[in-house]
Amino acid sequence: MTEDCWHDSYAAAPIDGSAWLDGDCSMHELRGASWFSMPAFVRVDYRNRFPADYRTSSVGIRLVREIGP
């Protein structure tokens, strides 16, 4: 889940990478998908919305650690 408040599109979104803190802040944007989603949803540009307090085992963050030579 992101800090961004939900908007139907990216029109007028901040261009500096900051969170979008106005709009429907009862809902927050979720990007990408989870381990059990259909392939069409496992894209960084896939967007959905959920209440700010929504919790489930399929929502979280992915960490990557590069293993050096």
Side-chain angles (χ1 to χ4, degrees), residues 2-69:
T2 67
E3 186 178 5
D4 296 270
C5 298
W6 176 253
H7 291 81
D8 287 334
S9 75
Y10 285 118
I15 59 172
D16 64 358
S18 63
W20 208 348
L21 301 177
D22 65 352
D24 182 1
C25 292
S26 69
M27 303 295 273
H28 286 260
E29 186 164 320
L30 181 83
R31 294 188 187 128
S34 72
W35 54 271
F36 66 86
S37 297
M38 296 182 342
F41 300 140
V42 187
R43 297 175 47 100
V44 73
D45 64 345
Y46 175 72
R47 302 170 62 234
N48 206 336
R49 63 182 179 270
F50 292 97
D53 61 352
Y54 181 75
R55 301 291 181 263
T56 182
S57 63
S58 62
V59 172
I61 60 171
R62 293 181 183 105
L63 299 177
V64 176
R65 180 178 178 190
E66 185 173 327
I67 300 174

